Amino acid sequence: LPENSLAITVDDGFHSFRKLAVPVLDRYQYPATVYVTTYYVGKGAPIFRLVVQYMFWKAARTPVSLEGQAWTAVKTLDLSDRAAVEKATWECIDYGEGSCTEVERQRLCEELGRLLGVPYDAIVPDRALHLMTPDELRDLAGHGVAVEPHTHHHRFPADDRAAASREIAENRTALDEWLPGERRHFCYPSGLWDTRQWAWLDDLGVRSSTTCVASRICIPKNGYAMDVLSGVRQSAYHSFNSDSRRVPMAFSSTAPHRMICRRCSMRGAR
C-alpha cells in the first residue's frame, strides 16, 4: 500500500449505512468496507434487544403495570426509576433471547410497545433498527463497498473455540449465499477480543481483525489486533441506552492491512 493509505470501515451493517453513508461515500468516491453480522439480515426484522432498549428509553416516565408478563415478576414498574428500568430492560432482553423464537420475540415487542405506549408498528417502517437486506448488501459492490464477516449472532466467545468458529462459519455461509467472492477480513463484535483467538482466526483463514482499542498504528504489531484512532459520534437511536451508547468513528494507518472507521454496537445481539 502507498504510505498513509486509508480505508474506511463500518461495523454491523445497519440499514442507515446504506441509506445515509453510502451516498456520502459516492459523493467523494471513497471506497469502504462494512463488517456485517448476518442473523438479522436473514430474518428481516429489527434487532430485538435494540427495540426493547428503545421502547424503555422512549416511554413516558410514569408507572406501568407489568402484571402477568412472563419475563418479569415485577407487577408495577416506575419508569422514572432508572435502576429499575435498566433491570427490567435486561430481564426482557434475556427472556426474549434465551426463551423465545424470533416470531415470539416480535410478538413480545408488540406487547411491550402496547404496555409502554411506544407502538412497535411505529418503529418498524423507518428501519432504523434493521440491518441491510441481502439485496441491499448485493447493491453495495456497485458503490465500491466491500462486505466482510462480523459473526452471525454478534458474539465471538473467548472461552469456547468451537462456538467462536461456528459464528464465523455461519457468518460466511450466509454471506456466501448472498454475495460472490471470498471474505478474509474480520471485525470483533463490540471490539472484544482475546489473544487466544488469534490462532483460531489464523486456522479459519482470516488475514486481519480489527478492535475498538484507540491507538494510532503505522505498522501493525499484530494483524489480529488492529487498533484504531477514534473519535465519537452519536446516532439518534444508539444514544438511548448505555449498552449501545458508543458509535466510534476512527481512522488509523495500517500496513499491510487497513485503515479503520469503526462503529460499535449490539453486544451479543441475537
Side-chain angles (χ1 to χ4, degrees):
L1 291 176
E3 186 176 357
N4 296 323
S5 295
L6 180 144
I8 299 171
T9 80
V10 179
D11 295 0
D12 300 333
F14 278 91
H15 168 68
S16 58
F17 171 73
R18 176 63 188 87
K19 180 180 179 180
L20 302 176
V22 169
V24 176
L25 294 170
D26 280 345
R27 185 187 313 155
Y28 294 100
Q29 298 185 350
Y30 289 161
T33 295
V34 57
Y35 295 102
V36 175
T37 182
T38 41
Y39 175 83
Y40 275 102
V41 174
K43 294 299 181 183
I47 297 163
F48 170 72
R49 63 168 52 189
L50 295 186
V51 172
V52 173
Q53 291 170 331
Y54 176 74
M55 284 180 170
F56 274 107
W57 172 81
K58 184 70 172 177
R61 299 296 182 257
T62 57
V64 61
S65 173
L66 300 179
E67 189 165 3
Q69 297 301 307
W71 52 270
T72 183
V74 174
K75 294 183 178 181
T76 301
L77 176 65
D78 181 357
L79 292 173
S80 66
D81 184 335
R82 295 183 62 181
V85 169
E86 179 79 0
K87 184 175 183 293
T89 299
W90 284 103
E91 283 182 334
C92 187
I93 290 171
D94 291 343
Y95 174 81
E97 293 184 348
S99 303
C100 298
T101 66
E102 189 58 43
V103 171
E104 290 168 339
R105 283 192 279 271
Q106 302 316 306
R107 290 174 182 162
L108 177 54
C109 288
E110 292 172 355
E111 174 63 10
L112 183 65
R114 184 188 66 79
L115 292 170
L116 298 178
V118 185
Y120 181 63
D121 289 345
I123 296 173
V124 172
D126 70 2
R127 300 185 58 211
L129 302 181
H130 284 71
L131 299 184
M132 287 179 280
T133 65
D135 284 343
E136 288 170 334
L137 292 179
R138 281 188 284 268
D139 179 66
L140 293 178
H143 299 274
V145 178
V147 177
E148 295 287 350
H150 194 44
T151 73
H152 189 55
H153 296 99
H154 206 264
R155 55 177 178 247
F156 193 59
D159 58 353
D160 189 334
R161 179 170 184 165
S165 298
R166 189 163 53 248
E167 281 292 325
I168 291 183
E170 292 179 358
N171 196 199
R172 281 174 163 168
T173 296
L175 292 173
D176 288 346
E177 180 181 344
W178 303 323
L179 305 168
E182 62 178 1
R183 278 153 280 279
R184 295 189 175 274
H185 302 282
F186 176 66
C187 178
Y188 298 102
S190 302
L192 304 176
W193 58 276
D194 188 283
T195 56
R196 290 173 292 179
Q197 296 169 323
W198 296 348
W200 309 349
L201 292 169
D202 189 54
D203 289 344
L204 290 166
V206 174
R207 293 176 56 194
S208 73
S209 303
T210 61
T211 76
C212 284
V213 177
S215 172
R216 182 187 176 98
I217 309 172
C218 294
I219 299 176
K221 56 182 178 292
N222 188 295
Y224 297 120
M226 307 291 286
D227 300 343
V228 300
L229 180 63
S230 65
V232 176
R233 304 287 185 272
Q234 290 287 346
S235 72
Y237 274 87
H238 284 85
S239 64
F240 57 76
N241 183 272
S242 61
D243 196 56
S244 50
R245 65 190 178 278
R246 296 187 303 152
V247 187
M249 306 294 286
F251 298 88
S252 65
S253 179
T254 63
H257 297 283
R258 64 185 58 228
M259 291 289 307
I260 306 153
C261 171
R262 293 299 316 283
R263 174 179 184 172
C264 301
S265 61
M266 290 203 321
R267 295 171 187 249
R270 187 189 213 178

